[in-house]
Amino acid sequence: MNFTYQLARRTPMTELEEWRDVPGYAGAYQASSWGRIRSLGRVTVKKGGVLMTVRERILSGRAHRYGYSSYVLRKDGKSHPYHGHVLVMRAFHGMPEPGLIICHNDSDGSNNRLDNLRYDTVKSNSADMVRAGNALLGEKNPMAILTTREVADIRARRAQGESVSGIAKVYGLTYALISGVVRGVSWKHVDGPITIVGRKVTEHDIVAMRYLRAAGASINHLAGTYGVSITYTSKICFGSLHPALGGPLTKPSLQWRQDRRVDNV
């Protein structure tokens, strides 16, 4: 991909191009307000003390797999790869504050013009991708387990009164995953009736849940049995909810933490 050609098409001929040194590479490399990167004319010392004259030239970026332009800068005999947008933002705005990343206003990773870049949050960057249609939502995500049609079916089943645990068995998935779908926690971009999962449990239920958990029952199994969420079940069993009621309190197991991480993917 020829990034220099793309930049020329995006930039009005009347607009002045401003160049600034790339921090850490002053006198060797510069980035421009048009998003271009150039190597400055200079004399460098090669291995063995041999002098080498470097001519000034505009660097041609290589296409990264996510559409970003990639450049290799050399310093002290070593090569250092950078994305073009990183070099431009560092040259004009310095390093970002903690928690901020570089965002492309048009969600085009190859457009490194200064007026198309900003420091912002990951959440804001995700919103840009959604607006541009580039977000890996739903079936676009290679990690997706369900399809849009299946999500709609799951929500319709729940709205008609079918239990979350029953739907989970039909699809061969966890209670937590189905619960997230019907409550709209996951697959938020898909239409369909959103329902609230859960029911009130009695004091007898709470004590029974704690004894079953202490006997080895999983949090997922208890949540499905009593028709409540996994979070609610865990708080009961671990004692953060209703600590004064009877029954043995347990601690989160390593397997439970792993199950939660899988369910939240």
Side-chain angles (χ1 to χ4, degrees):
M1 180 184 295
N2 190 324
F3 291 101
T4 302
Y5 172 72
Q6 287 192 344
L7 288 169
R9 294 187 62 187
R10 295 188 182 114
T11 306
M13 296 300 294
T14 56
E15 181 181 336
L16 295 178
E17 184 175 20
E18 180 182 354
W19 290 91
R20 292 193 184 182
D21 288 330
V22 174
Y25 296 89
Y29 297 96
Q30 290 184 329
S32 86
S33 56
W34 291 6
R36 299 198 296 174
I37 310 299
R38 71 181 176 187
S39 174
L40 299 176
R42 60 194 184 279
V43 176
T44 62
V45 180
K46 299 180 65 176
K47 291 183 179 180
V50 178
L51 298 180
M52 182 181 70
T53 300
V54 178
R55 295 182 179 180
E56 181 174 314
R57 64 188 179 92
I58 303 296
L59 301 183
S60 298
R62 293 185 177 183
H64 187 266
R65 60 177 177 173
Y66 294 120
Y68 301 126
S69 57
S70 180
Y71 299 86
V72 176
L73 309 189
R74 292 189 59 81
K75 184 178 182 180
D76 299 329
K78 296 182 180 180
S79 298
H80 305 275
Y82 293 94
H83 288 317
H85 57 273
V86 172
L87 298 175
V88 172
M89 286 297 284
R90 288 185 182 180
F92 285 87
H93 294 295
M95 297 293 290
E97 296 180 3
L100 299 183
I101 63 172
I102 301 175
C103 301
H104 291 78
N105 296 331
D106 61 359
S107 293
D108 180 356
S110 67
N111 184 2
N112 296 326
R113 285 178 49 86
L114 181 61
D115 57 13
N116 188 53
L117 304 176
R118 72 184 192 280
Y119 284 132
D120 211 332
T121 62
V122 173
K123 183 177 181 179
S124 180
N125 189 51
S126 297
D128 288 346
M129 295 177 66
V130 171
R131 283 193 296 269
N134 297 331
L136 296 178
L137 295 176
E139 295 174 59
K140 291 183 180 179
N141 191 324
M143 298 296 291
I145 297 175
L146 297 168
T147 65
T148 300
R149 180 176 297 180
E150 289 171 336
V151 169
D153 177 64
I154 289 170
R155 288 178 177 169
R157 284 171 176 262
R158 178 57 183 163
Q160 293 169 5
E162 192 169 344
S163 70
V164 173
S165 56
I167 300 172
K169 289 180 181 179
V170 170
Y171 279 89
L173 300 173
T174 64
Y175 179 98
L177 193 150
I178 299 299
S179 173
V181 170
V182 300
R183 291 185 293 121
V185 175
S186 58
W187 294 79
K188 298 178 182 179
H189 64 291
V190 177
D191 294 330
I194 303 300
T195 55
I196 304 300
V197 180
R199 67 175 180 86
K200 293 183 177 180
V201 294
T202 65
E203 293 184 8
H204 179 271
D205 290 334
I206 291 173
V207 174
M209 290 169 72
R210 287 175 176 170
Y211 274 106
L212 289 170
R213 174 60 180 165
S218 70
I219 294 293
N220 282 13
H221 174 74
L222 293 174
T225 300
Y226 286 89
V228 294
S229 71
I230 287 179
T231 300
Y232 186 69
T233 303
S234 65
K235 288 182 178 180
I236 287 176
C237 294
F238 304 153
S240 56
L241 277 181
H242 310 296
L245 295 181
L249 302 181
T250 54
K251 295 182 179 180
S253 65
L254 176 60
Q255 183 61 47
W256 180 82
R257 292 193 181 98
Q258 291 174 343
D259 290 342
R260 290 289 290 160
R261 283 198 291 268
V262 171
D263 289 340
N264 289 328
V265 169

